[in-house]
Amino acid sequence: MTESKKKIIGIGEYIVDKNPTILVTLGLGSCVAVCLRDKKNLIGGLVHIMLPESRSSIKDEKIGKYADTGIKAIIDGIVDLGGNLKYVEAKIVGGAAMFKNSNNSLNVGSKNVEAVRKILKENDIKIIAEDTGGNRARSVEFNIANGDLKVKKVGGGEKVEITVI
Amino acid sequence: MSIYDEINEQKLDALKELGNIGAGNAATAISTMLNKKIDITVPSTEIIPISELWKEFSDPEDVTAGSMVEIGGELHGAILFLLGTQETKKILELLMLPRPEDLTQIDEMTSSAIGEVGNIMCSSYISAISNFTGLNIHSLPPKITVDMLTAIVSESSLMVTEGSDFVILIRTDISIEEYEGNVKGFLIYLSDEKNIRKLLKTLGMGTNND
């Protein structure tokens, strides 16, 4: 088995890479990790978005922060590396409302998920798996080799539970 | 101009001192409440790109109890009180409250007790800032969560900065008398760039642009 290298993606950042790579991002609260993968050419990308829409009024903004610009960046990146949109599938994780008695974060989380769904649909990219909403934060590891998305979430017993979607 | 170019060593020191005063107040309040000696240290004051927040903690996935108290009035920001699961249980015990088996499955009463401890810590911090700067500020009701450490800090930062790229983080380590060695407790002052400029200005350290 080839050793996959792990690359960590911070809030508002994105990476597109070829197999073998595992893309990692930590601490998704209301943020959403959008994972796209060309299953034929084994090229994939992950963007850790914070907000649904970019604000064009502000210059030098990081494009990975927003659903609209971030997803576009990943799509372009996959094409640049020789991928074909025809084979691209999506998995999305995040959009939680972590804090009790807070309406603010609840709105941001669900709005982010909504925006992501809409943009993927516009680009004819199918969401094949997702773990969104709820009130738990998540960390993810996205394996470009097989498309496995490992989701870590605090479960019972004060432990971090791992599921693969 | 980026906040990086504006804030020099001297200004960071001023913020660190502010953190010392705020955290000192918080420690006194909790110490009185629990009748235990509490030590605090302010090891760092930093301007951190939000994208690199995850690097701040040695174990980013630690299960932690967090209370966040936002600052309202003439200054916006938040104080975040973070405490490891064992330490939180110990404090609940010291307050003669039932010790929960599993902090991730707590009832309303335990959750509000944790929120109240957080509220006392954070509000003391905020009133110290108010006294020191003369700014008319107050604390908003606490928000509580038990989750992964990095996620709590990231999410709070996002709520405070509303999506900007940098956050100012004044971190305070807390240790309680009965614990020897490593106590997993932090108080964090979170602010966006605009409000930190305002704060510095009241301390007589405004920038040329002001």
Side-chain angles (χ1 to χ4, degrees):
Chain A
M1 210 180 108
T2 24
E3 183 73 12
S4 297
K5 52 188 183 303
K6 283 191 183 178
K7 290 188 176 172
I8 301 185
I9 296 147
I11 303 174
E13 295 187 321
Y14 69 94
I15 291 181
V16 179
D17 209 344
K18 287 178 185 168
N19 182 47
T21 307
I22 293 177
L23 302 174
V24 180
T25 199
L26 308 170
L28 293 156
S30 60
C31 292
V32 178
V34 183
C35 310
L36 299 185
R37 173 175 172 264
D38 174 334
K39 62 185 171 186
K40 187 162 177 277
N41 299 303
L42 306 186
I43 298 165
L46 189 159
V47 61
H48 183 146
I49 64 145
M50 289 160 65
L51 295 164
E53 242 180 302
S54 57
R55 293 167 289 189
S56 51
S57 56
I58 302 169
K59 281 184 296 178
D60 307 323
E61 280 270 40
K62 288 176 93 161
I63 53 175
K65 277 165 71 171
Y66 308 99
D68 52 356
T69 49
I71 292 173
K72 186 173 183 303
I74 295 283
I75 292 173
D76 291 349
I78 289 175
V79 173
D80 284 350
L81 285 182
N84 187 331
L85 277 186
K86 220 167 46 181
Y87 306 115
V88 171
E89 291 173 337
K91 291 187 178 181
I92 62 173
V93 173
M98 283 176 66
F99 284 96
K100 287 176 186 160
N101 43 34
S102 163
N103 302 323
N104 175 27
S105 62
L106 180 106
N107 282 338
V108 176
S110 54
K111 276 179 191 156
N112 278 340
V113 173
E114 213 175 284
V116 165
R117 285 210 188 100
K118 183 170 157 266
I119 295 160
L120 289 174
K121 200 171 176 210
E122 282 166 6
N123 287 281
D124 285 320
I125 295 171
K126 202 177 158 206
I127 299 173
I128 54 165
E130 70 173 281
D131 181 7
T132 55
N135 55 13
R136 289 275 169 226
R138 299 158 170 99
S139 287
V140 299
E141 291 188 11
F142 184 45
N143 191 340
I144 293 177
N146 55 15
D148 279 354
L149 185 59
K150 205 191 273 180
V151 182
K152 295 186 195 173
K153 216 180 334 185
V154 173
E158 295 161 14
K159 295 270 183 325
V160 174
E161 284 174 353
I162 300 174
T163 46
V164 177
I165 62 169
Chain B
M1 189 158 53
S2 151
I3 191 103
Y4 264 135
D5 310 316
E6 255 178 66
I7 293 196
N8 52 22
E9 207 53 41
Q10 192 195 6
K11 284 178 182 165
L12 280 180
D13 273 348
L15 293 175
K16 191 169 170 178
E17 188 48 32
L18 197 74
N20 264 322
I21 295 167
N25 238 32
T28 310
I30 197 85
S31 177
T32 311
M33 187 167 86
L34 300 175
N35 198 21
K36 298 276 174 219
K37 193 168 173 287
I38 308 273
D39 280 329
I40 54 135
T41 44
V42 182
S44 64
T45 301
E46 290 164 279
I47 310 161
I48 300 170
I50 295 249
S51 58
E52 287 178 11
L53 261 180
W54 61 272
K55 291 180 183 163
E56 279 299 297
F57 306 98
S58 55
D59 193 352
E61 284 168 356
D62 248 3
V63 179
T64 305
S67 320
M68 175 194 179
V69 175
E70 281 182 85
I71 303 169
E74 292 183 301
L75 198 68
H76 183 63
I79 311 292
L80 192 57
F81 175 50
L82 299 163
L83 207 58
T85 50
Q86 293 316 312
E87 291 80 2
T88 304
K89 288 179 188 178
K90 183 75 195 172
I91 283 191
L92 290 171
E93 216 171 64
L94 289 171
L95 290 168
M96 319 261 175
L97 289 161
R99 185 190 170 99
E101 269 302 301
D102 180 353
L103 266 194
T104 63
Q105 312 282 335
I106 47 172
D107 56 22
E108 207 52 45
M109 199 190 92
T110 313
S111 161
S112 67
I114 294 171
E116 203 38 55
V117 175
N119 199 19
I120 290 167
M121 295 289 278
C122 301
S123 298
S124 314
Y125 198 126
I126 293 166
S127 76
I129 296 173
S130 175
N131 287 337
F132 191 67
T133 57
L135 286 168
N136 184 11
I137 53 174
H138 56 266
S139 34
L140 298 169
K143 297 184 171 97
I144 305 117
T145 186
V146 177
D147 216 313
M148 290 187 268
L149 177 57
T150 318
I152 300 176
V153 181
S154 310
E155 190 69 11
S156 311
S157 309
L158 296 184
M159 285 161 80
V160 168
T161 64
E162 285 162 358
S164 77
D165 288 335
F166 294 97
V167 66
I168 314 279
L169 196 141
I170 306 174
R171 177 167 156 168
T172 312
D173 287 348
I174 301 160
S175 70
I176 305 167
E177 185 180 39
E178 278 163 38
Y179 279 98
E180 304 223 337
N182 186 23
V183 172
K184 288 172 180 166
F186 314 104
L187 261 172
I188 296 177
Y189 181 111
L190 292 168
S191 175
D192 63 3
E193 302 174 32
K194 194 177 99 206
N195 282 282
I196 221 69
R197 282 197 191 100
K198 201 167 171 184
L199 188 60
L200 284 167
K201 202 177 166 190
T202 62
L203 300 175
M205 301 179 99
T207 56
N208 298 332
N209 297 344
D210 288 325

